[in-house]
Amino acid sequence: QVQLVESGGGLVQPGGSLRLSCAASGFTFSTYAMSWYRQAPGKERELVAHITSIGGRTEYANSVKGRFTISRDNAKNTVYLQMNSLQPEDTAVYSCKADWLLRSYWGQGTQVTVSS
């Protein structure tokens, strides 16, 4: 049974930090590219960060470059999103996604709220 379970979301003040985790099971995690997406109320889902399966090359949305860092630990079947200097516009549900060829899996998401 494939599972992607996100954790680490919550309420944080502007300028604060959070680290999201996405624990995978039920598939060969190391062969899948992993991504973090977010969706704010009333907005379309957007790609935040991506990391390849081999080599660990990363890509980021312009809005988060220099503030967010995606990483993966294949031994733990987990992908992370370190989020620093959070701003109210970062408020959204953050979901992880796994991709390999034509297969893709989604997690349920975790809420991140940035507010004073």
Side-chain angles (χ1 to χ4, degrees), residues 41-60:
K43 294 188 176 181
E44 292 188 355
R45 184 163 55 193
E46 64 169 337
L47 175 64
V48 175
H50 174 84
I51 186 167
T52 59
S53 58
I54 299 174
R57 287 182 292 110
T58 57
E59 295 179 1
Y60 298 93

Side-chain angles (χ1 to χ4, degrees), residues 19-104:
R19 188 175 84 151
L20 305 183
S21 299
C22 171
S25 60
F27 61 98
T28 308
F29 177 79
S30 61
T31 66
Y32 281 67
M34 299 298 298
S35 303
W36 284 97
Y37 284 76
R38 68 184 180 186
Q39 187 166 23
K43 294 188 176 181
E44 292 188 355
R45 184 163 55 193
E46 64 169 337
L47 175 64
V48 175
H50 174 84
I51 186 167
T52 59
S53 58
I54 299 174
R57 287 182 292 110
T58 57
E59 295 179 1
Y60 298 93
N62 287 334
S63 58
V64 307
K65 278 182 182 176
R67 300 189 298 125
F68 290 11
T69 303
I70 188 171
S71 61
R72 66 189 296 159
D73 186 338
N74 288 340
K76 295 183 178 179
N77 289 352
T78 301
V79 62
Y80 305 97
L81 186 68
Q82 177 67 42
M83 305 186 295
N84 299 328
S85 302
L86 283 162
Q87 300 302 317
E89 53 265 33
D90 296 316
T91 296
V93 174
Y94 285 72
S95 302
C96 63
K97 183 186 179 192
D99 288 285
W100 179 63
L101 300 180
L102 298 180
R103 295 182 181 177
S104 62

